[in-house]
Amino acid sequence: MTNRLIFALALGALAGCASMSEQQCRSTNWYEQGETDGIAGNQAKIDLYAHLCSRYQVQPPANEYLTGWADGYAEYNKRVSGSKM
């Protein structure tokens, strides 16, 4: 039973980031996407997004994404360390 649960969770996680539509690649606010990833404590994923969007000849703007990610990750660190705003 535990192995099935682990497998199901892993499969769900992979499915969640396995693809992006052309519309998503073209219309995503990359600053906000970076900020969302950073606030979640994730490493920057611009390389993943660039790979996923390359099939549509779309190159996400790394500078916008990384600026958002840096702001989000700074917020994540404040929350984790217990700093008050």
mmCIF file of all heavy atoms in Angstrom, residues 33-83:
data_model
loop_
_atom_site.group_PDB
_atom_site.id
_atom_site.type_symbol
_atom_site.label_atom_id
_atom_site.label_comp_id
_atom_site.label_asym_id
_atom_site.label_seq_id
_atom_site.Cartn_x
_atom_site.Cartn_y
_atom_site.Cartn_z
ATOM 1 N N GLN A 33 5.839 34.131 -12.158
ATOM 2 C CA GLN A 33 6.168 32.699 -12.084
ATOM 3 C C GLN A 33 7.423 32.494 -11.252
ATOM 4 O O GLN A 33 7.491 31.598 -10.422
ATOM 5 C CB GLN A 33 6.348 32.112 -13.483
ATOM 6 C CG GLN A 33 6.611 30.618 -13.489
ATOM 7 C CD GLN A 33 5.452 29.832 -12.927
ATOM 8 O OE1 GLN A 33 4.325 29.990 -13.374
ATOM 9 N NE2 GLN A 33 5.706 28.994 -11.944
ATOM 10 N N GLY A 34 8.423 33.328 -11.479
ATOM 11 C CA GLY A 34 9.654 33.235 -10.693
ATOM 12 C C GLY A 34 9.406 33.509 -9.222
ATOM 13 O O GLY A 34 9.917 32.807 -8.346
ATOM 14 N N GLU A 35 8.594 34.530 -8.951
ATOM 15 C CA GLU A 35 8.270 34.871 -7.570
ATOM 16 C C GLU A 35 7.537 33.715 -6.886
ATOM 17 O O GLU A 35 7.846 33.361 -5.741
ATOM 18 C CB GLU A 35 7.416 36.138 -7.543
ATOM 19 C CG GLU A 35 7.146 36.661 -6.151
ATOM 20 C CD GLU A 35 6.341 37.943 -6.186
ATOM 21 O OE1 GLU A 35 5.396 38.057 -7.000
ATOM 22 O OE2 GLU A 35 6.661 38.842 -5.397
ATOM 23 N N THR A 36 6.601 33.106 -7.590
ATOM 24 C CA THR A 36 5.860 31.964 -7.048
ATOM 25 C C THR A 36 6.797 30.804 -6.733
ATOM 26 O O THR A 36 6.705 30.187 -5.669
ATOM 27 C CB THR A 36 4.772 31.507 -8.046
ATOM 28 O OG1 THR A 36 3.854 32.584 -8.239
ATOM 29 C CG2 THR A 36 4.030 30.288 -7.555
ATOM 30 N N ASP A 37 7.703 30.506 -7.646
ATOM 31 C CA ASP A 37 8.668 29.424 -7.414
ATOM 32 C C ASP A 37 9.562 29.750 -6.222
ATOM 33 O O ASP A 37 9.864 28.882 -5.403
ATOM 34 C CB ASP A 37 9.517 29.182 -8.659
ATOM 35 C CG ASP A 37 8.735 28.553 -9.804
ATOM 36 O OD1 ASP A 37 7.621 28.041 -9.561
ATOM 37 O OD2 ASP A 37 9.244 28.578 -10.943
ATOM 38 N N GLY A 38 10.005 31.001 -6.119
ATOM 39 C CA GLY A 38 10.875 31.399 -5.013
ATOM 40 C C GLY A 38 10.180 31.342 -3.674
ATOM 41 O O GLY A 38 10.737 30.840 -2.694
ATOM 42 N N ILE A 39 8.950 31.853 -3.601
ATOM 43 C CA ILE A 39 8.203 31.840 -2.341
ATOM 44 C C ILE A 39 7.962 30.412 -1.864
ATOM 45 O O ILE A 39 7.916 30.145 -0.666
ATOM 46 C CB ILE A 39 6.875 32.614 -2.480
ATOM 47 C CG1 ILE A 39 7.172 34.115 -2.546
ATOM 48 C CG2 ILE A 39 5.922 32.309 -1.342
ATOM 49 C CD1 ILE A 39 5.966 34.985 -2.842
ATOM 50 N N ALA A 40 7.845 29.489 -2.818
ATOM 51 C CA ALA A 40 7.649 28.085 -2.463
ATOM 52 C C ALA A 40 8.950 27.435 -1.992
ATOM 53 O O ALA A 40 8.943 26.282 -1.544
ATOM 54 C CB ALA A 40 7.091 27.317 -3.659
ATOM 55 N N GLY A 41 10.064 28.164 -2.089
ATOM 56 C CA GLY A 41 11.347 27.613 -1.657
ATOM 57 C C GLY A 41 12.016 26.748 -2.705
ATOM 58 O O GLY A 41 12.981 26.049 -2.422
ATOM 59 N N ASN A 42 11.507 26.806 -3.937
ATOM 60 C CA ASN A 42 12.067 26.007 -5.023
ATOM 61 C C ASN A 42 13.307 26.663 -5.596
ATOM 62 O O ASN A 42 13.457 27.879 -5.546
ATOM 63 C CB ASN A 42 11.045 25.848 -6.155
ATOM 64 C CG ASN A 42 9.833 25.062 -5.728
ATOM 65 O OD1 ASN A 42 9.935 24.131 -4.944
ATOM 66 N ND2 ASN A 42 8.674 25.439 -6.233
ATOM 67 N N GLN A 43 14.167 25.840 -6.161
ATOM 68 C CA GLN A 43 15.281 26.375 -6.922
ATOM 69 C C GLN A 43 14.722 27.020 -8.181
ATOM 70 O O GLN A 43 13.625 26.690 -8.629
ATOM 71 C CB GLN A 43 16.256 25.268 -7.298
ATOM 72 C CG GLN A 43 16.991 24.681 -6.127
ATOM 73 C CD GLN A 43 18.006 23.645 -6.559
ATOM 74 O OE1 GLN A 43 17.969 23.137 -7.662
ATOM 75 N NE2 GLN A 43 18.913 23.317 -5.654
ATOM 76 N N ALA A 44 15.469 27.926 -8.763
ATOM 77 C CA ALA A 44 15.049 28.563 -10.008
ATOM 78 C C ALA A 44 14.866 27.491 -11.085
ATOM 79 O O ALA A 44 15.690 26.581 -11.216
ATOM 80 C CB ALA A 44 16.076 29.598 -10.446
ATOM 81 N N LYS A 45 13.774 27.605 -11.844
ATOM 82 C CA LYS A 45 13.440 26.603 -12.847
ATOM 83 C C LYS A 45 13.445 27.171 -14.262
ATOM 84 O O LYS A 45 12.801 26.624 -15.150
ATOM 85 C CB LYS A 45 12.041 26.043 -12.561
ATOM 86 C CG LYS A 45 11.901 25.348 -11.237
ATOM 87 C CD LYS A 45 10.474 24.870 -11.072
ATOM 88 C CE LYS A 45 10.249 24.238 -9.733
ATOM 89 N NZ LYS A 45 8.867 23.769 -9.590
ATOM 90 N N ILE A 46 14.165 28.254 -14.494
ATOM 91 C CA ILE A 46 14.129 28.881 -15.811
ATOM 92 C C ILE A 46 14.620 27.929 -16.896
ATOM 93 O O ILE A 46 14.089 27.928 -18.011
ATOM 94 C CB ILE A 46 14.904 30.226 -15.836
ATOM 95 C CG1 ILE A 46 14.677 30.972 -17.150
ATOM 96 C CG2 ILE A 46 16.378 30.012 -15.549
ATOM 97 C CD1 ILE A 46 13.254 31.365 -17.423
ATOM 98 N N ASP A 47 15.582 27.077 -16.584
ATOM 99 C CA ASP A 47 16.069 26.128 -17.587
ATOM 100 C C ASP A 47 14.983 25.133 -17.971
ATOM 101 O O ASP A 47 14.851 24.775 -19.142
ATOM 102 C CB ASP A 47 17.302 25.386 -17.089
ATOM 103 C CG ASP A 47 18.515 26.281 -16.969
ATOM 104 O OD1 ASP A 47 18.566 27.324 -17.655
ATOM 105 O OD2 ASP A 47 19.425 25.948 -16.189
ATOM 106 N N LEU A 48 14.199 24.678 -17.006
ATOM 107 C CA LEU A 48 13.093 23.769 -17.281
ATOM 108 C C LEU A 48 12.058 24.456 -18.164
ATOM 109 O O LEU A 48 11.619 23.901 -19.172
ATOM 110 C CB LEU A 48 12.438 23.299 -15.986
ATOM 111 C CG LEU A 48 11.142 22.493 -16.144
ATOM 112 C CD1 LEU A 48 11.399 21.190 -16.889
ATOM 113 C CD2 LEU A 48 10.517 22.236 -14.782
ATOM 114 N N TYR A 49 11.672 25.684 -17.800
ATOM 115 C CA TYR A 49 10.684 26.406 -18.585
ATOM 116 C C TYR A 49 11.199 26.676 -20.001
ATOM 117 O O TYR A 49 10.448 26.572 -20.974
ATOM 118 C CB TYR A 49 10.278 27.709 -17.905
ATOM 119 C CG TYR A 49 9.622 27.501 -16.565
ATOM 120 C CD1 TYR A 49 10.026 28.209 -15.449
ATOM 121 C CD2 TYR A 49 8.584 26.586 -16.405
ATOM 122 C CE1 TYR A 49 9.416 28.024 -14.214
ATOM 123 C CE2 TYR A 49 7.977 26.390 -15.173
ATOM 124 C CZ TYR A 49 8.396 27.110 -14.082
ATOM 125 O OH TYR A 49 7.793 26.908 -12.872
ATOM 126 N N ALA A 50 12.466 27.019 -20.129
ATOM 127 C CA ALA A 50 13.045 27.261 -21.452
ATOM 128 C C ALA A 50 12.982 25.991 -22.297
ATOM 129 O O ALA A 50 12.641 26.033 -23.483
ATOM 130 C CB ALA A 50 14.475 27.760 -21.323
ATOM 131 N N HIS A 51 13.278 24.864 -21.688
ATOM 132 C CA HIS A 51 13.221 23.587 -22.401
ATOM 133 C C HIS A 51 11.789 23.271 -22.830
ATOM 134 O O HIS A 51 11.540 22.889 -23.982
ATOM 135 C CB HIS A 51 13.776 22.467 -21.530
ATOM 136 C CG HIS A 51 13.606 21.118 -22.125
ATOM 137 N ND1 HIS A 51 14.343 20.678 -23.206
ATOM 138 C CD2 HIS A 51 12.753 20.101 -21.815
ATOM 139 C CE1 HIS A 51 13.958 19.461 -23.524
ATOM 140 N NE2 HIS A 51 12.993 19.079 -22.696
ATOM 141 N N LEU A 52 10.843 23.441 -21.912
ATOM 142 C CA LEU A 52 9.448 23.124 -22.216
ATOM 143 C C LEU A 52 8.870 24.037 -23.294
ATOM 144 O O LEU A 52 8.058 23.601 -24.109
ATOM 145 C CB LEU A 52 8.593 23.213 -20.954
ATOM 146 C CG LEU A 52 8.894 22.176 -19.868
ATOM 147 C CD1 LEU A 52 8.091 22.474 -18.607
ATOM 148 C CD2 LEU A 52 8.601 20.764 -20.365
ATOM 149 N N CYS A 53 9.290 25.293 -23.304
ATOM 150 C CA CYS A 53 8.745 26.255 -24.265
ATOM 151 C C CYS A 53 9.496 26.256 -25.600
ATOM 152 O O CYS A 53 9.002 26.817 -26.578
ATOM 153 C CB CYS A 53 8.744 27.657 -23.664
ATOM 154 S SG CYS A 53 7.578 27.838 -22.289
ATOM 155 N N SER A 54 10.654 25.621 -25.643
ATOM 156 C CA SER A 54 11.441 25.628 -26.876
ATOM 157 C C SER A 54 10.714 24.939 -28.028
ATOM 158 O O SER A 54 10.923 25.288 -29.189
ATOM 159 C CB SER A 54 12.809 24.978 -26.653
ATOM 160 O OG SER A 54 12.666 23.588 -26.392
ATOM 161 N N ARG A 55 9.825 24.008 -27.730
ATOM 162 C CA ARG A 55 9.079 23.333 -28.801
ATOM 163 C C ARG A 55 8.161 24.299 -29.544
ATOM 164 O O ARG A 55 7.732 24.014 -30.644
ATOM 165 C CB ARG A 55 8.295 22.150 -28.254
ATOM 166 C CG ARG A 55 7.121 22.560 -27.373
ATOM 167 C CD ARG A 55 6.333 21.381 -26.889
ATOM 168 N NE ARG A 55 7.168 20.663 -25.929
ATOM 169 C CZ ARG A 55 6.742 19.799 -25.063
ATOM 170 N NH1 ARG A 55 5.477 19.494 -25.018
ATOM 171 N NH2 ARG A 55 7.552 19.210 -24.236
ATOM 172 N N TYR A 56 7.859 25.445 -28.920
ATOM 173 C CA TYR A 56 7.010 26.460 -29.547
ATOM 174 C C TYR A 56 7.835 27.661 -30.009
ATOM 175 O O TYR A 56 7.279 28.702 -30.343
ATOM 176 C CB TYR A 56 5.930 26.933 -28.567
ATOM 177 C CG TYR A 56 5.170 25.799 -27.928
ATOM 178 C CD1 TYR A 56 5.268 25.555 -26.565
ATOM 179 C CD2 TYR A 56 4.366 24.955 -28.692
ATOM 180 C CE1 TYR A 56 4.572 24.509 -25.974
ATOM 181 C CE2 TYR A 56 3.677 23.896 -28.110
ATOM 182 C CZ TYR A 56 3.791 23.681 -26.748
ATOM 183 O OH TYR A 56 3.108 22.644 -26.175
ATOM 184 N N GLN A 57 9.151 27.521 -30.007
ATOM 185 C CA GLN A 57 10.065 28.601 -30.356
ATOM 186 C C GLN A 57 9.836 29.827 -29.478
ATOM 187 O O GLN A 57 9.880 30.967 -29.931
ATOM 188 C CB GLN A 57 9.962 28.985 -31.848
ATOM 189 C CG GLN A 57 10.491 27.949 -32.811
ATOM 190 C CD GLN A 57 9.550 26.765 -32.975
ATOM 191 O OE1 GLN A 57 8.358 26.953 -33.168
ATOM 192 N NE2 GLN A 57 10.083 25.554 -32.905
ATOM 193 N N VAL A 58 9.588 29.569 -28.185
ATOM 194 C CA VAL A 58 9.407 30.638 -27.204
ATOM 195 C C VAL A 58 10.544 30.539 -26.200
ATOM 196 O O VAL A 58 10.827 29.458 -25.679
ATOM 197 C CB VAL A 58 8.048 30.515 -26.472
ATOM 198 C CG1 VAL A 58 7.932 31.547 -25.366
ATOM 199 C CG2 VAL A 58 6.897 30.638 -27.453
ATOM 200 N N GLN A 59 11.188 31.658 -25.949
ATOM 201 C CA GLN A 59 12.261 31.718 -24.961
ATOM 202 C C GLN A 59 11.799 32.608 -23.816
ATOM 203 O O GLN A 59 11.697 33.817 -23.971
ATOM 204 C CB GLN A 59 13.539 32.291 -25.593
ATOM 205 C CG GLN A 59 14.720 32.347 -24.668
ATOM 206 C CD GLN A 59 15.180 30.966 -24.233
ATOM 207 O OE1 GLN A 59 15.270 30.057 -25.028
ATOM 208 N NE2 GLN A 59 15.462 30.810 -22.960
ATOM 209 N N PRO A 60 11.490 32.018 -22.658
ATOM 210 C CA PRO A 60 11.076 32.840 -21.512
ATOM 211 C C PRO A 60 12.184 33.833 -21.151
ATOM 212 O O PRO A 60 13.364 33.484 -21.202
ATOM 213 C CB PRO A 60 10.876 31.830 -20.384
ATOM 214 C CG PRO A 60 10.718 30.512 -21.058
ATOM 215 C CD PRO A 60 11.520 30.598 -22.320
ATOM 216 N N PRO A 61 11.818 35.059 -20.784
ATOM 217 C CA PRO A 61 12.833 36.059 -20.424
ATOM 218 C C PRO A 61 13.469 35.731 -19.063
ATOM 219 O O PRO A 61 12.848 35.902 -18.016
ATOM 220 C CB PRO A 61 12.050 37.365 -20.385
ATOM 221 C CG PRO A 61 10.632 36.956 -20.127
ATOM 222 C CD PRO A 61 10.469 35.600 -20.741
ATOM 223 N N ALA A 62 14.685 35.235 -19.113
ATOM 224 C CA ALA A 62 15.368 34.789 -17.902
ATOM 225 C C ALA A 62 15.523 35.919 -16.891
ATOM 226 O O ALA A 62 15.370 35.690 -15.688
ATOM 227 C CB ALA A 62 16.734 34.210 -18.255
ATOM 228 N N ASN A 63 15.802 37.136 -17.347
ATOM 229 C CA ASN A 63 16.014 38.235 -16.406
ATOM 230 C C ASN A 63 14.750 38.538 -15.608
ATOM 231 O O ASN A 63 14.810 38.790 -14.410
ATOM 232 C CB ASN A 63 16.547 39.474 -17.116
ATOM 233 C CG ASN A 63 15.609 39.987 -18.195
ATOM 234 O OD1 ASN A 63 14.789 39.235 -18.739
ATOM 235 N ND2 ASN A 63 15.747 41.252 -18.534
ATOM 236 N N GLU A 64 13.583 38.519 -16.263
ATOM 237 C CA GLU A 64 12.327 38.764 -15.547
ATOM 238 C C GLU A 64 12.043 37.637 -14.551
ATOM 239 O O GLU A 64 11.679 37.882 -13.402
ATOM 240 C CB GLU A 64 11.156 38.875 -16.528
ATOM 241 C CG GLU A 64 11.173 40.131 -17.358
ATOM 242 C CD GLU A 64 10.037 40.155 -18.368
ATOM 243 O OE1 GLU A 64 8.983 39.549 -18.111
ATOM 244 O OE2 GLU A 64 10.222 40.799 -19.418
ATOM 245 N N TYR A 65 12.196 36.401 -15.017
ATOM 246 C CA TYR A 65 11.949 35.255 -14.152
ATOM 247 C C TYR A 65 12.880 35.287 -12.932
ATOM 248 O O TYR A 65 12.438 35.122 -11.796
ATOM 249 C CB TYR A 65 12.139 33.937 -14.918
ATOM 250 C CG TYR A 65 12.022 32.736 -14.018
ATOM 251 C CD1 TYR A 65 10.776 32.164 -13.758
ATOM 252 C CD2 TYR A 65 13.136 32.197 -13.387
ATOM 253 C CE1 TYR A 65 10.658 31.076 -12.897
ATOM 254 C CE2 TYR A 65 13.028 31.120 -12.526
ATOM 255 C CZ TYR A 65 11.781 30.561 -12.293
ATOM 256 O OH TYR A 65 11.673 29.501 -11.426
ATOM 257 N N LEU A 66 14.174 35.490 -13.168
ATOM 258 C CA LEU A 66 15.145 35.438 -12.068
ATOM 259 C C LEU A 66 14.983 36.605 -11.093
ATOM 260 O O LEU A 66 15.237 36.438 -9.897
ATOM 261 C CB LEU A 66 16.561 35.374 -12.629
ATOM 262 C CG LEU A 66 16.893 34.058 -13.338
ATOM 263 C CD1 LEU A 66 18.239 34.147 -14.044
ATOM 264 C CD2 LEU A 66 16.851 32.881 -12.372
ATOM 265 N N THR A 67 14.551 37.758 -11.582
ATOM 266 C CA THR A 67 14.266 38.873 -10.673
ATOM 267 C C THR A 67 13.104 38.503 -9.758
ATOM 268 O O THR A 67 13.163 38.710 -8.543
ATOM 269 C CB THR A 67 13.943 40.157 -11.462
ATOM 270 O OG1 THR A 67 15.080 40.507 -12.261
ATOM 271 C CG2 THR A 67 13.597 41.312 -10.526
ATOM 272 N N GLY A 68 12.048 37.939 -10.327
ATOM 273 C CA GLY A 68 10.908 37.485 -9.530
ATOM 274 C C GLY A 68 11.296 36.381 -8.568
ATOM 275 O O GLY A 68 10.890 36.375 -7.404
ATOM 276 N N TRP A 69 12.114 35.450 -9.063
ATOM 277 C CA TRP A 69 12.543 34.340 -8.206
ATOM 278 C C TRP A 69 13.358 34.864 -7.016
ATOM 279 O O TRP A 69 13.138 34.442 -5.879
ATOM 280 C CB TRP A 69 13.370 33.326 -9.004
ATOM 281 C CG TRP A 69 13.817 32.196 -8.154
ATOM 282 C CD1 TRP A 69 13.124 31.066 -7.838
ATOM 283 C CD2 TRP A 69 15.057 32.094 -7.447
ATOM 284 N NE1 TRP A 69 13.853 30.280 -6.984
ATOM 285 C CE2 TRP A 69 15.046 30.883 -6.738
ATOM 286 C CE3 TRP A 69 16.173 32.917 -7.361
ATOM 287 C CZ2 TRP A 69 16.111 30.473 -5.940
ATOM 288 C CZ3 TRP A 69 17.239 32.513 -6.569
ATOM 289 C CH2 TRP A 69 17.203 31.305 -5.872
ATOM 290 N N ALA A 70 14.262 35.793 -7.271
ATOM 291 C CA ALA A 70 15.085 36.342 -6.192
ATOM 292 C C ALA A 70 14.212 37.045 -5.151
ATOM 293 O O ALA A 70 14.423 36.879 -3.941
ATOM 294 C CB ALA A 70 16.127 37.305 -6.752
ATOM 295 N N ASP A 71 13.224 37.802 -5.598
ATOM 296 C CA ASP A 71 12.312 38.474 -4.663
ATOM 297 C C ASP A 71 11.499 37.452 -3.879
ATOM 298 O O ASP A 71 11.337 37.574 -2.667
ATOM 299 C CB ASP A 71 11.381 39.430 -5.410
ATOM 300 C CG ASP A 71 12.106 40.630 -5.998
ATOM 301 O OD1 ASP A 71 13.266 40.888 -5.619
ATOM 302 O OD2 ASP A 71 11.495 41.312 -6.854
ATOM 303 N N GLY A 72 10.994 36.441 -4.562
ATOM 304 C CA GLY A 72 10.214 35.401 -3.891
ATOM 305 C C GLY A 72 11.050 34.590 -2.927
ATOM 306 O O GLY A 72 10.608 34.267 -1.823
ATOM 307 N N TYR A 73 12.272 34.261 -3.325
ATOM 308 C CA TYR A 73 13.131 33.454 -2.462
ATOM 309 C C TYR A 73 13.561 34.248 -1.230
ATOM 310 O O TYR A 73 13.686 33.687 -0.136
ATOM 311 C CB TYR A 73 14.346 32.946 -3.241
ATOM 312 C CG TYR A 73 15.007 31.760 -2.591
ATOM 313 C CD1 TYR A 73 14.382 30.517 -2.587
ATOM 314 C CD2 TYR A 73 16.244 31.878 -1.978
ATOM 315 C CE1 TYR A 73 14.975 29.429 -1.988
ATOM 316 C CE2 TYR A 73 16.851 30.796 -1.378
ATOM 317 C CZ TYR A 73 16.216 29.573 -1.387
ATOM 318 O OH TYR A 73 16.808 28.488 -0.782
ATOM 319 N N ALA A 74 13.735 35.547 -1.385
ATOM 320 C CA ALA A 74 14.051 36.395 -0.228
ATOM 321 C C ALA A 74 12.881 36.368 0.757
ATOM 322 O O ALA A 74 13.085 36.279 1.976
ATOM 323 C CB ALA A 74 14.350 37.818 -0.670
ATOM 324 N N GLU A 75 11.665 36.428 0.244
ATOM 325 C CA GLU A 75 10.475 36.347 1.101
ATOM 326 C C GLU A 75 10.395 34.983 1.781
ATOM 327 O O GLU A 75 10.082 34.884 2.965
ATOM 328 C CB GLU A 75 9.213 36.609 0.283
ATOM 329 C CG GLU A 75 7.933 36.528 1.076
ATOM 330 C CD GLU A 75 7.824 37.565 2.189
ATOM 331 O OE1 GLU A 75 8.425 38.649 2.081
ATOM 332 O OE2 GLU A 75 7.132 37.284 3.180
ATOM 333 N N TYR A 76 10.672 33.943 1.036
ATOM 334 C CA TYR A 76 10.693 32.584 1.602
ATOM 335 C C TYR A 76 11.688 32.511 2.763
ATOM 336 O O TYR A 76 11.375 31.975 3.829
ATOM 337 C CB TYR A 76 11.068 31.575 0.511
ATOM 338 C CG TYR A 76 11.414 30.212 1.035
ATOM 339 C CD1 TYR A 76 10.424 29.320 1.419
ATOM 340 C CD2 TYR A 76 12.748 29.803 1.147
ATOM 341 C CE1 TYR A 76 10.740 28.054 1.904
ATOM 342 C CE2 TYR A 76 13.070 28.553 1.622
ATOM 343 C CZ TYR A 76 12.063 27.686 2.005
ATOM 344 O OH TYR A 76 12.403 26.439 2.491
ATOM 345 N N ASN A 77 12.870 33.061 2.576
ATOM 346 C CA ASN A 77 13.886 33.029 3.631
ATOM 347 C C ASN A 77 13.454 33.810 4.863
ATOM 348 O O ASN A 77 13.742 33.401 5.983
ATOM 349 C CB ASN A 77 15.226 33.546 3.099
ATOM 350 C CG ASN A 77 15.926 32.519 2.253
ATOM 351 O OD1 ASN A 77 15.848 31.323 2.501
ATOM 352 N ND2 ASN A 77 16.604 32.977 1.217
ATOM 353 N N LYS A 78 12.772 34.931 4.664
ATOM 354 C CA LYS A 78 12.247 35.689 5.807
ATOM 355 C C LYS A 78 11.250 34.849 6.589
ATOM 356 O O LYS A 78 11.263 34.829 7.815
ATOM 357 C CB LYS A 78 11.547 36.970 5.337
ATOM 358 C CG LYS A 78 12.457 38.068 4.915
ATOM 359 C CD LYS A 78 11.616 39.280 4.517
ATOM 360 C CE LYS A 78 12.432 40.283 3.760
ATOM 361 N NZ LYS A 78 11.600 41.392 3.265
ATOM 362 N N ARG A 79 10.378 34.172 5.867
ATOM 363 C CA ARG A 79 9.354 33.357 6.521
ATOM 364 C C ARG A 79 9.970 32.177 7.258
ATOM 365 O O ARG A 79 9.550 31.848 8.370
ATOM 366 C CB ARG A 79 8.344 32.858 5.500
ATOM 367 C CG ARG A 79 7.492 33.958 4.919
ATOM 368 C CD ARG A 79 6.555 33.440 3.861
ATOM 369 N NE ARG A 79 5.809 34.525 3.238
ATOM 370 C CZ ARG A 79 4.917 34.350 2.312
ATOM 371 N NH1 ARG A 79 4.617 33.145 1.881
ATOM 372 N NH2 ARG A 79 4.290 35.383 1.802
ATOM 373 N N VAL A 80 10.941 31.545 6.651
ATOM 374 C CA VAL A 80 11.578 30.382 7.259
ATOM 375 C C VAL A 80 12.374 30.783 8.505
ATOM 376 O O VAL A 80 12.372 30.080 9.506
ATOM 377 C CB VAL A 80 12.486 29.660 6.247
ATOM 378 C CG1 VAL A 80 13.368 28.620 6.909
ATOM 379 C CG2 VAL A 80 11.647 29.008 5.152
ATOM 380 N N SER A 81 13.022 31.939 8.447
ATOM 381 C CA SER A 81 13.835 32.360 9.581
ATOM 382 C C SER A 81 13.019 32.986 10.689
ATOM 383 O O SER A 81 13.531 33.267 11.777
ATOM 384 C CB SER A 81 14.921 33.342 9.129
ATOM 385 O OG SER A 81 14.337 34.564 8.731
ATOM 386 N N GLY A 82 11.736 33.244 10.419
ATOM 387 C CA GLY A 82 10.857 33.784 11.447
ATOM 388 C C GLY A 82 10.901 35.287 11.562
ATOM 389 O O GLY A 82 10.390 35.849 12.533
ATOM 390 N N SER A 83 11.485 35.964 10.586
ATOM 391 C CA SER A 83 11.510 37.425 10.645
ATOM 392 C C SER A 83 10.105 37.976 10.506
ATOM 393 O O SER A 83 9.274 37.437 9.817
ATOM 394 C CB SER A 83 12.364 37.977 9.486
ATOM 395 O OG SER A 83 13.691 37.571 9.637
#
